[in-house]
Amino acid sequence: MAFPFPRGITPPEISFLAEMELVTIVPRQRLEGLELLGGPVAPLIPPRRTNVPLWLALLLKRQRRANILPPPWLHPESLSLILDIETRDQAYQHAFSPPPPLPGQPSLRERSYKKPTARPRFTPEGSKYYATPPFLPQNVAQDQAFDALESEPPTLPFHWLEVGAMLLDAAADDLVDPDQTRRLLKELREVRSAKIRSGVEVLDDAAGPGGGVALTGVGAMEIGEGRGFISGVVDGLRRIGASKEQARREQLADATNRGYDDTQDYNDEMEF
């Protein structure tokens, strides 16, 4: 007997999708361009930086043909600031740090007075579409260093957990202080997992019609890991609510039957 497939996408599948994220590399050897399904890759000429998919960057790193530049959010300073936002900011005690803006959307500082509008893209045939992770440059390196006063605050991309784990596993020597980076990622994961578990308190209200749980800023792996738990709790609350509604209807029917006596039958016969 075959076992049923688990509900939703599994963590290995999420990691597979995260390998399509674009990262920045510095080639150590000259390589010809490649024609990939996601689009062509320009020829690799050292020391010119190039953005390539994560799976290709990891392959070149294992072959010692390129070095991977970490994205700006993976620096210890950026992770420390994000951790402070998650733990100390009063506005995010029960919420998650804001995600990076999509193409065409205002920056984090401009969101208070500008309406978010996504910018469409077009295929070679002229069809319009809207890019989403992992096809967004959310993990590419930047030339300028992060400045807490002048630059935008760092944000966690949609595949932050998967990209961080892969880079720490295969390119730890390219990261700034990998031990501290690994510790900060672990603390971020624990803090955000605790927030997801604490959201069970509002699931009772969300189980009704039109209800829901806000998951703005939650990563792909976090959604995949919490999908079974959250959906199971919601299904259980719905069954409990249905049984309560059935019990209420039975009590109402019993109360109605108690108010009905034989005199009503006698009056009906006299009228007939």
Side-chain angles (χ1 to χ4, degrees):
M1 179 178 179
F3 292 98
F5 289 102
R7 178 183 298 180
I9 189 171
T10 60
E13 294 172 341
I14 297 176
S15 299
F16 177 77
L17 294 177
E19 292 181 355
M20 293 298 296
E21 288 280 352
L22 293 177
V23 295
T24 305
I25 65 171
V26 177
R28 303 174 63 179
Q29 296 179 2
R30 185 182 181 91
L31 299 174
E32 299 296 332
L34 299 174
E35 292 291 339
L36 304 178
L37 294 177
V41 175
L44 305 182
I45 303 175
R48 183 187 302 173
R49 296 183 178 184
T50 307
N51 296 333
V52 298
L54 178 59
W55 66 267
L56 180 58
L58 296 177
L59 178 61
L60 296 176
K61 176 63 180 179
R62 293 188 180 100
Q63 295 177 353
R64 299 181 179 180
R65 295 185 177 183
N67 292 332
I68 302 177
L69 296 180
W73 63 267
L74 199 54
H75 289 271
E77 296 81 2
S78 301
L79 292 176
S80 299
L81 182 56
I82 297 175
L83 184 60
D84 290 340
I85 294 175
E86 294 277 358
T87 55
R88 300 180 182 180
D89 196 334
Q90 297 294 332
Y92 297 100
Q93 283 188 350
H94 303 287
F96 301 90
S97 57
L102 297 176
Q105 289 186 342
S107 61
L108 297 178
R109 302 181 187 275
E110 298 174 346
R111 289 184 184 181
S112 58
Y113 58 89
K114 285 189 177 181
K115 183 179 179 181
T117 55
R119 181 182 303 169
R121 298 182 181 180
F122 296 90
T123 62
E125 292 78 13
S127 302
K128 183 172 65 174
Y129 71 98
Y130 294 89
T132 59
F135 305 103
L136 290 176
Q138 297 180 347
N139 292 282
V140 297
Q142 297 179 358
D143 295 333
Q144 66 275 13
F146 172 73
D147 189 352
L149 298 178
E150 299 180 359
S151 303
E152 290 291 331
T155 55
L156 292 177
F158 189 58
H159 291 285
W160 68 274
L161 191 56
E162 308 90 279
V163 174
M166 293 180 188
L167 292 182
L168 283 172
D169 183 37
D173 56 334
D174 291 337
L175 303 182
V176 179
D177 199 348
D179 294 334
Q180 185 179 4
T181 300
R182 186 178 288 104
R183 179 183 60 81
L184 291 172
L185 285 177
K186 182 179 179 181
E187 293 181 1
L188 268 175
R189 185 176 185 179
E190 293 175 352
V191 169
R192 293 165 67 91
S193 298
K195 290 184 179 181
I196 294 178
R197 291 192 299 268
S198 64
V200 178
E201 299 176 359
V202 300
L203 288 179
D204 194 4
D205 298 333
V213 180
L215 296 177
T216 304
V218 181
M221 186 62 71
E222 295 170 309
I223 295 177
E225 292 176 346
R227 183 191 300 272
F229 171 71
I230 295 177
S231 60
V233 172
V234 171
D235 291 341
L237 292 175
R238 286 175 178 173
R239 288 194 294 268
I240 294 174
S243 61
K244 290 181 179 179
E245 180 65 20
Q246 183 65 24
R248 188 187 67 82
R249 292 181 179 180
E250 293 177 355
Q251 292 178 358
L252 182 61
D254 293 341
T256 304
N257 293 333
R258 292 193 193 98
Y260 185 85
D261 52 13
D262 295 338
T263 58
Q264 294 181 1
D265 292 337
Y266 176 77
N267 293 334
D268 293 340
E269 293 176 358
M270 294 298 295
E271 291 177 359
F272 180 74

